[in-house]
Amino acid sequence: MFSKETYVSRRAELRQLVKNGIIILFGNNESPANCPANGYYPFRQDSSFLYYFGQQRDGLVGVIDIDENRETLIGDDIDIDDIVWFGSVDSVHDMAMQVGVANTAPMKQLKAICDNALRSHRKIHFLPPYRSDIKIQIFDLLGIHPNQQKAAASLDLIHAVVKMRSTKTEEEIVELEHAATIGYRMHTTAMRITRPGLTEKYVSGQVDGVAHSFGSMVSFPTIFTQHGEIMHGIPSMAELEDGRLVLCDCGGENMNHYCSDNTRTFPINGKFTQRQLDIYKVVEEAHDAALGIAKPGVKYVDVHFAACRIIFDRMKELGLAKGDTDAALAAGAHAIFLPHGLGHMMGMDVHDMEALDQIYVGFDEETRPNLEQFGTNSLRMGRRLQEGFVVTDEPGIYFIPALIDEWHAKKHCADFLNFDKLEAYKDFGGIRIEDDLLITKDGCRFIGEERIPYHPKDVEASWQQAGNKSSYQSSIYNYLLRGIRCRRDPRKRQQKSL
Ligand code: GLY
Ligand code: MN
């Protein structure tokens, strides 16, 4: 948690931006996973609530009455049963004091506050809800059906929150650097322990353990897969195979809920083949290019297309693509290799503020994406960069068998792609390299004091430095593996049905 002054001044700025009415910011509630008193999903506070009210407890709502200049933290104090089972926590009054809020009220009073505001036709601002329990809460309080709530959410509030949360302050950058340190440990753990014969799940479980031991949790479900061509491929019980690449996309969330998001793709046996290296170097070049282009005033969609251009030109050199690069990019031919955007905002949410709607977070009138075109319709960030923005730089090249087949059958972008040559890459998988860029006064830099190895020679060297992997074989390590191996690769089935 930051100092009281941080939250006081954030709410003052929010009041100025929204101008009038009542702002209601809902904190999240506990979510039982399988039965009410057992198996909770890990509690995660709403990021906008955290940003303005700082408190991590469930069952809280923040109310900012702009017209009456009154701020209230709403919530019920825990009772003796909760204390017996879970221990004591600060009272709602104490929590309000910690973040400079003058008033508190029990949850039942929220209905009266809303009824009064509705009676006097005052504007009630709320953000688009993304959890069902909050949708029910809004339905009870304001009578707006859950299906209508996204449309009824306050655009003034959305724009104000996006404006404020997009630019990270120095104290937030310290938090992001800390999250990057956790991410570094997660990734280097994956690189250190990976070897043929382990399962994807085993390595990803160890990686997740690092996040849990140093921070709050993972910033999103860890992607650790030999099927790098599946964008969000979850780890399976498949064994890691000698000669293949594995893609590791993961991040840590620190105790103050700031995130990291990095991807590395590396050879399971520690040595790239020439074919792997040919593609890897293209992704590496596209990844590094962003460093020289991204700066205040530059549109991120232009950085994206600079990466696409590099990828398409190099794929032409490798014989997989052909034709005029400008025409190919206009037709969207590059998206067969890179079907997603170069990056997204990152902060307290790994896809920062995505719940507020990507169109408001990543775009403006000048940079609205072409929602009709495959690939471009997946962009999450296009607008002009500002000092203090944090965006991911995550180019990739993927060979998606089902997509290659579909485009081939439809002759889609046939003037720009050599489908016969692409056939031979249908067993390749995919490569992504991702780091988090902080936009500085006149350029940008990667977040994280130590770079997770990604230049091929560093990746291979880190494998060597991990020591004699065969020493694991006689250790408890192998004992632990007994019983968790499974030869079937569920991805293979999944791929057929794509
Ligand atoms: N790192 C996961 C994603 O950006 O979607
Ligand atoms: Mn990402």
Side-chain angles (χ1 to χ4, degrees), residues 312-313 316 322-330 415-416:
F312 198 79
D313 280 341
K316 283 199 310 198
K322 59 187 177 185
D324 177 65
T325 302
D326 285 332
L329 263 50
D415 291 343
F416 304 112

Side-chain angles (χ1 to χ4, degrees), residues 178-237:
H178 180 227
T181 306
I182 301 171
Y184 176 86
R185 287 179 185 241
M186 294 166 75
H187 275 275
T188 49
T189 296
M191 287 179 159
R192 185 165 46 78
I193 68 174
T194 290
R195 66 178 173 88
L198 294 179
T199 61
E200 293 174 359
K201 253 189 184 296
Y202 180 78
V203 177
S204 67
Q206 299 290 315
V207 166
D208 289 0
V210 175
H212 285 268
S213 9
F214 288 101
S216 198
M217 51 172 129
V218 290
S219 56
F220 58 95
T222 293
I223 297 163
F224 188 83
T225 176
Q226 297 165 99
H227 284 284
E229 78 282 8
I230 300 174
M231 303 299 114
H232 285 174
I234 52 165
S236 76
M237 287 300 282

Side-chain angles (χ1 to χ4, degrees), residues 11 21 44 89 92 98 106 143 195 232 247 362 366 388-389 460:
R11 291 193 303 271
R44 174 54 156 86
V89 295
V92 175
Q98 288 156 11
R195 66 178 173 88
H232 285 174
L247 184 150
E366 173 186 36
F389 279 15
E460 290 182 352

Side-chain angles (χ1 to χ4, degrees), residues 372-397:
E372 304 302 316
Q373 189 178 73
F374 177 80
T376 310
N377 59 3
S378 294
L379 261 63
R380 287 198 162 95
M381 176 69 189
R383 68 186 170 111
R384 287 186 193 276
L385 299 166
Q386 294 174 29
E387 184 179 356
F389 279 15
V390 173
V391 289
T392 62
D393 167 26
E394 52 178 308
I397 294 180

Side-chain angles (χ1 to χ4, degrees), residues 78-317:
I78 61 168
D79 60 20
I80 189 66
D81 280 349
D82 292 324
I83 293 170
V84 168
W85 286 96
F86 303 112
S88 212
V89 295
D90 290 340
S91 68
V92 175
H93 174 79
D94 289 344
M95 286 192 279
M97 293 296 106
Q98 288 156 11
V99 293
V101 172
N103 309 288
T104 60
M107 192 52 78
K108 64 177 187 311
Q109 212 161 305
L110 186 54
K111 179 77 179 139
I113 291 172
C114 291
D115 285 349
N116 283 340
L118 287 171
R119 256 196 306 276
S120 32
H121 304 289
R122 295 175 61 204
K123 172 79 183 163
I124 301 181
H125 304 270
F126 62 89
L127 294 173
Y130 53 91
R131 288 199 180 187
S132 303
D133 53 328
I134 303 292
K135 291 181 185 178
I136 293 169
Q137 218 172 341
I138 293 176
F139 184 57
D140 286 346
L141 292 167
L142 305 176
I144 304 169
H145 189 277
N147 292 343
Q148 318 286 310
Q149 289 173 8
K150 191 168 179 227
S154 163
L155 268 184
D156 290 337
L157 182 59
I158 291 172
H159 286 307
V161 172
V162 168
K163 182 175 188 327
M164 291 181 67
R165 282 182 56 193
S166 293
T167 306
K168 274 64 182 179
T169 60
E170 271 177 31
E171 60 185 351
E172 290 184 285
I173 292 162
V174 170
E175 298 295 328
L176 289 164
E177 294 283 357
H178 180 227
T181 306
I182 301 171
Y184 176 86
R185 287 179 185 241
M186 294 166 75
H187 275 275
T188 49
T189 296
M191 287 179 159
R192 185 165 46 78
I193 68 174
T194 290
R195 66 178 173 88
L198 294 179
T199 61
E200 293 174 359
K201 253 189 184 296
Y202 180 78
V203 177
S204 67
Q206 299 290 315
V207 166
D208 289 0
V210 175
H212 285 268
S213 9
F214 288 101
S216 198
M217 51 172 129
V218 290
S219 56
F220 58 95
T222 293
I223 297 163
F224 188 83
T225 176
Q226 297 165 99
H227 284 284
E229 78 282 8
I230 300 174
M231 303 299 114
H232 285 174
I234 52 165
S236 76
M237 287 300 282
E239 281 186 23
L240 297 170
E241 291 172 24
D242 204 335
R244 289 182 73 175
L245 296 171
V246 67
L247 184 150
C248 179
D249 182 351
C250 65
E253 189 170 307
N254 79 349
M255 294 307 291
N256 284 329
H257 301 290
Y258 283 82
C259 297
S260 66
D261 183 8
N262 302 90
T263 307
R264 293 294 182 263
T265 312
F266 52 93
I268 289 163
N269 66 10
K271 184 94 188 117
F272 287 98
T273 64
Q274 190 55 49
R275 186 168 90 129
Q276 289 166 348
L277 213 47
D278 287 344
I279 303 295
Y280 189 93
K281 283 185 164 171
V282 181
V283 183
E284 183 192 16
E285 184 184 346
H287 168 271
D288 290 356
L291 270 180
I293 311 171
K295 62 177 180 187
V298 168
K299 287 184 269 182
Y300 207 56
V301 66
D302 291 344
V303 189
H304 166 78
F305 276 107
C308 296
R309 174 173 296 280
I310 290 169
I311 289 171
F312 198 79
D313 280 341
R314 298 290 169 265
M315 298 313 256
K316 283 199 310 198
E317 288 164 18

